[in-house]
């Protein structure tokens, strides 16, 4: 019998599965339909700074235990959107993502980076738009995602481009796949699971 593969997913609300049932989350689909044992380490509203803390407190110890037991765990890291929403800059996300990647590599694990989803400002709730300039944030997020791809290329880190399926041919965010302009619908989660599964099958 084939050994069940372990996948740690470190991220924010998109990883947690905000707004949909647990069975509809892309992490749940990966477990149920694609044969992965998934540890969902997503936290709603979290930044890459919080992710960096959880990496040391929870993810790395578990990953090391898996390695000692002869396992071959995978780690997906995806975040940075909230850094931009809260601070108006992607500088903290760049620094923290770089730190997480290199600390994972030093522990003997080459992580997989998730490219964050786009933002559809017109669909963002008014209560959130009162504290976040979503049109500006959407542009900064686009630049951050381009930087992430360059970073991965420079250091030989694999990535999965979740963003692609959420963009129309003209480059605009596909609002029909986003519940509130930010978080994926059940269909969006299914697209994410399919893209991730295809990427992991190449590993």
């Amino acid at each position: 019998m084939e050994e069940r593969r372990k996948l740690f997913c470190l991220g924010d609300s998109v990883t947690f599965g905000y707004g949909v049932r647990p069975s509809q989350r892309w992490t749940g689909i990966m477990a149920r339909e694609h044969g992965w044992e998934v540890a969902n380490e997503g936290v709603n509203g979290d930044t890459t700074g919080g992710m960096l803390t959880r990496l040391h407190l929870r993810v790395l110890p578990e990953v090391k235990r898996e390695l000692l037991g002869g396992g071959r765990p995978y780690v997906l890291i995806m975040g940075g959107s909230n850094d931009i929403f809260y601070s108006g800059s992607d500088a903290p996300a760049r620094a923290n993502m770089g730190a997480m990647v290199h600390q994972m590599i030093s522990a003997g694990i080459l992580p997989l980076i998730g490219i964050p989803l786009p933002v559809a400002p017109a669909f963002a709730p008014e209560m959130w738009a009162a504290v976040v300039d979503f049109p500006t944030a959407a542009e900064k997020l686009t630049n951050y995602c381009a930087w992430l791809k360059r970073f991965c290329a420079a250091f030989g880190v694999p990535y999965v481009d979740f963003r692609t399926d959420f963009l129309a041919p003209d480059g605009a965010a596909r609002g029909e796949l986003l519940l509130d302009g930010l978080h994926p619908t059940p269909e969006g989660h299914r697209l994410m699971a399919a893209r991730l599964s295809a990427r992991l099958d190449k590993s």
Side-chain angles (χ1 to χ4, degrees):
M1 184 175 179
E2 185 178 351
E3 184 180 357
R4 193 165 171 82
R5 299 165 294 178
K6 186 70 174 280
L7 173 64
F8 294 87
C9 300
L10 181 60
D12 52 30
S13 54
V14 172
T15 297
F16 174 82
Y18 175 89
V20 299
R21 296 193 299 271
S23 63
Q24 296 173 319
R25 297 169 183 168
W26 61 267
T27 51
I29 296 170
M30 289 296 294
R32 187 175 63 253
E33 299 183 14
H34 298 285
W36 289 86
E37 180 183 350
V38 179
N40 187 331
E41 292 290 345
V43 172
N44 289 330
D46 205 9
T47 63
T48 55
M51 290 166 56
L52 180 59
T53 298
R54 288 203 312 289
L55 175 69
H56 285 281
L57 293 180
R58 295 169 60 170
V59 177
L60 268 179
E62 287 294 326
V63 168
K64 289 177 180 178
R65 275 193 286 271
E66 287 282 328
L67 289 171
L68 287 172
R72 186 191 171 206
Y74 289 75
V75 179
L76 172 70
I77 302 174
M78 179 169 62
S81 299
N82 288 325
D83 298 67
I84 294 171
F85 297 156
Y86 296 154
S87 72
S89 169
D90 68 352
R94 293 189 186 201
N96 290 326
M97 288 296 290
M100 284 188 281
V101 165
H102 289 297
Q103 290 173 28
M104 286 295 301
I105 291 173
S106 72
I109 290 288
L110 183 64
L112 177 65
I113 299 301
I115 304 300
L117 307 185
V119 173
F123 295 89
E126 289 185 11
M127 58 185 289
W128 295 349
V131 293
V132 177
D133 180 354
F134 281 112
T136 299
E139 182 178 355
K140 290 184 182 296
L141 184 57
T142 296
N143 293 334
Y144 168 66
C145 290
W147 175 84
L148 265 181
K149 292 179 181 180
R150 294 195 303 271
F151 173 83
C152 288
F155 292 99
V157 179
Y159 67 84
V160 55
D161 192 354
F162 292 118
R163 185 179 177 87
T164 296
D165 295 315
F166 290 79
L167 293 174
D170 64 358
R174 297 176 60 189
E176 75 274 14
L177 292 176
L178 297 165
L179 290 171
D180 48 18
L182 306 174
H183 301 97
T185 63
E187 175 59 22
H189 278 274
R190 184 160 290 280
L191 289 172
M192 292 179 71
R195 182 166 289 275
L196 177 57
S197 179
R199 181 65 183 82
L200 289 171
D201 284 345
K202 297 178 181 177
S203 300

